């Protein structure tokens, strides 16, 4: 777990305490409220091991797919991630009985936003505000949502 609470006068409002499994690409950001975001990590081939790999899992991903994706974010695995996000968005909307806004973040300048029935690309990824786990624990405040 990375604990990097900023205490200088200049950064008194920043907090960073990523738990194991969080803060690494790719991940999903779900808009949870005004300036509140929930991060859902995406893990490959973790086979439901939520203790060590919290978030959502994409299983049966080959080493070749992972290697290709690391070199090219538009590779076949990208389409599997898009499909995963669509399923998660539908599930969240069913559970909450209202539309949700979410984003697949694949890198520091690679984001796919899902809003209503549309998806669009943007080089600007969600950042700042209060970042939460799926259990509503605070991961970070007023900092980027990833570990650099």
């Amino acid at each position: 777990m990375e604990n990097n609470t900023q205490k200088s006068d200049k950064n008194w409002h920043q907090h960073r305490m990523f738990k194991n499994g969080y803060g690494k690409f790719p991940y999903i950001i779900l808009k949870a409220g005004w300036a509140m975001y929930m991060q859902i990590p995406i893990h490959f081939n973790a086979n439901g091991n939520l203790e060590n790999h919290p978030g959502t899992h994409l299983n049966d991903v080959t080493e070749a797919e992972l290697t290709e994706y690391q070199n090219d974010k538009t590779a076949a695995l990208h389409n599997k991630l898009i499909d995963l996000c669509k399923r998660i968005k539908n599930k969240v909307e069913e559970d909450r009985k209202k539309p949700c806004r979410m984003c697949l973040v694949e890198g520091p300048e690679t984001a796919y936003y899902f809003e209503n029935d549309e998806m669009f690309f943007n080089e600007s990824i969600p950042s700042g505000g209060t970042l939460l786990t799926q259990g509503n624990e605070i991961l970070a405040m007023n900092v980027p949502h990833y570990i650099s």
Side-chain angles (χ1 to χ4, degrees):
M1 176 175 0
E2 178 185 311
N3 184 352
N4 184 11
T5 303
Q6 305 290 330
K7 294 189 179 186
S8 71
D9 290 337
K10 179 180 174 190
N11 297 321
W12 66 268
H13 61 286
Q14 293 182 347
H15 170 76
R16 198 180 176 107
M17 196 163 125
F18 283 94
K19 295 178 177 284
N20 186 34
Y22 287 88
K24 297 186 174 136
F25 301 114
Y27 56 80
I28 296 169
I29 292 291
L30 181 66
K31 182 94 164 112
W34 188 82
M36 294 181 68
Y37 305 92
M38 179 181 294
Q39 187 174 101
I40 304 170
I42 300 172
H43 300 284
F44 301 110
N45 301 325
N47 296 311
N49 182 347
L50 293 174
E51 185 175 325
N52 295 316
H53 305 286
T56 189
H57 298 169
L58 198 55
N59 294 314
D60 301 320
V61 177
T62 67
E63 286 299 319
E65 285 176 311
L66 286 170
T67 300
E68 183 182 20
Y69 178 73
Q70 289 171 351
N71 296 324
D72 178 8
K73 296 297 185 228
T74 63
L77 186 52
H78 167 77
N79 293 328
K80 289 182 179 182
L81 290 169
I82 295 293
D83 290 341
L84 175 67
C85 288
K86 288 177 180 177
R87 287 193 308 270
I88 290 172
K89 183 177 186 299
N90 288 335
K91 173 79 169 109
V92 169
E93 289 178 342
E94 280 179 24
D95 291 349
R96 293 183 177 179
K97 307 272 188 261
K98 65 179 184 178
C100 75
R101 295 169 55 197
M102 62 183 278
C103 181
L104 169 63
V105 183
E106 294 183 285
E109 296 177 344
T110 308
Y112 291 86
Y113 288 85
F114 297 81
E115 194 168 342
N116 300 317
D117 292 329
E118 296 181 23
M119 179 189 81
F120 59 93
F121 171 80
N122 198 310
E123 290 180 359
S124 177
I125 68 172
S127 183
T130 301
L131 184 63
L132 305 169
T133 67
Q134 289 174 275
N136 291 319
E137 298 172 85
I138 295 175
L139 291 170
M141 296 175 74
N142 302 317
V143 297
H145 295 173
Y146 61 94
I147 300 168
S148 49

